[in-house]
């Protein structure tokens, strides 16, 4: 297998073997794997009626790449990287920003504390402008987040927290759930890093077999 071997073409996502290898233990997940996870969730787990959208990692840098009518969604999930658009492949950390229409707020989850807070605030400001909130900017709320055990698992934590929050938003009635209960994440709420990596590798292999 060469370093550029194609493993899977899943709708808009193309996974090569070097993308797949980032799912091995203690490897930093790249944007392709995060995008694949989002694509799979949207197509298989999130009903259209839930009005939840998962923005791809590269979409927030270019307003033209954003989906139309973002104001219609109850929740917008935004992976945040500390890279600079003019410096390709310069990023080293993933975190998660979630806009919740119900509270007109951005919730910031970072498994390394405040490592990405500057990039997250800039993304929130940019997204607020795109959403047309110039006169009433959304609140920015830094959430307590389970800490990663090494420097490589940040992307896995983004996936784990996304999975948990999406499931809550789908299954819990908004009228009977406080915002604190909905958005608060404990370590015990999320799957382990090892299981997530293993499950995603298994999923990619299963989808690959179906394509043959």
């Amino acid at each position: 297998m060469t370093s550029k071997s194609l493993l899977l073409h899943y709708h808009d996502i193309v996974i090569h073997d070097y993308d797949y290898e980032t799912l091995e233990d203690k490897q930093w997940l790249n944007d392709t794997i995060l995008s694949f996870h989002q694509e799979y969730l949207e197509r298989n787990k999130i009903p259209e009626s839930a009005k939840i959208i998962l923005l791809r990692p590269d979409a927030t840098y270019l307003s033209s790449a954003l989906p139309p009518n973002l104001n219609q969604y109850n929740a917008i999930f935004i992976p945040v990287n500390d890279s600079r658009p003019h410096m390709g492949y310069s990023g080293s950390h993933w975190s998660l920003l979630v806009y919740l229409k119900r509270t007109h707020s951005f919730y910031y989850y970072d498994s390394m504390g405040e490592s990405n807070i500057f990039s997250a605030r800039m993304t929130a400001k940019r997204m607020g402008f795109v959403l047309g909130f110039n006169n009433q900017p959304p609140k920015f709320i830094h959430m307590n987040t389970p800490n990663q055990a090494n420097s490589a698992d940040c992307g896995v934590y983004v996936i784990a927290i996304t999975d948990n929050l999406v499931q809550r938003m789908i299954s819990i009635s908004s009228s009977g759930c406080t915002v604190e209960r909905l958005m608060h994440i404990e370590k015990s709420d999320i799957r382990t890093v090892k299981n997530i990596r293993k499950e995603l590798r298994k999923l990619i292999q299963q989808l690959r077999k179906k394509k043959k």
Side-chain angles (χ1 to χ4, degrees), residues 98-118:
V98 183
Y99 174 73
L100 193 65
K101 180 186 286 188
R102 174 180 169 185
T103 60
H104 189 54
S105 300
F106 283 103
Y107 295 83
Y108 169 59
Y109 300 87
D110 191 335
S111 55
M112 290 185 70
E114 296 187 351
S115 183
N116 259 9
I117 197 162
F118 175 77

Side-chain angles (χ1 to χ4, degrees), residues 47-158:
E48 188 175 346
S49 60
K51 295 294 183 181
I52 297 170
I53 188 168
L54 314 178
L55 296 186
R56 303 302 181 258
D58 58 351
T60 56
Y61 289 121
L62 296 172
S63 298
S64 59
L66 291 170
N69 304 316
L70 284 174
N71 282 319
Q72 70 177 302
Y73 294 99
N74 294 325
I76 304 172
F77 285 70
I78 310 163
V80 177
N81 190 271
D82 58 354
S83 65
R84 300 294 180 260
H86 62 285
M87 297 173 62
Y89 305 102
S90 61
S92 62
H93 183 55
W94 293 108
S95 57
L96 178 67
L97 201 60
V98 183
Y99 174 73
L100 193 65
K101 180 186 286 188
R102 174 180 169 185
T103 60
H104 189 54
S105 300
F106 283 103
Y107 295 83
Y108 169 59
Y109 300 87
D110 191 335
S111 55
M112 290 185 70
E114 296 187 351
S115 183
N116 259 9
I117 197 162
F118 175 77
S119 296
R121 287 189 182 278
M122 292 300 293
T123 300
K125 183 177 181 180
R126 186 163 54 248
M127 289 301 300
F129 178 79
V130 170
L131 291 166
F133 299 141
N134 300 342
N135 296 327
Q136 188 181 4
K139 293 180 182 178
F140 184 95
I141 302 173
H142 185 188
M143 303 295 291
N144 288 329
T145 308
N147 293 325
Q148 62 191 78
N150 55 42
S151 61
D153 288 335
C154 50
V156 184
Y157 272 79
V158 168

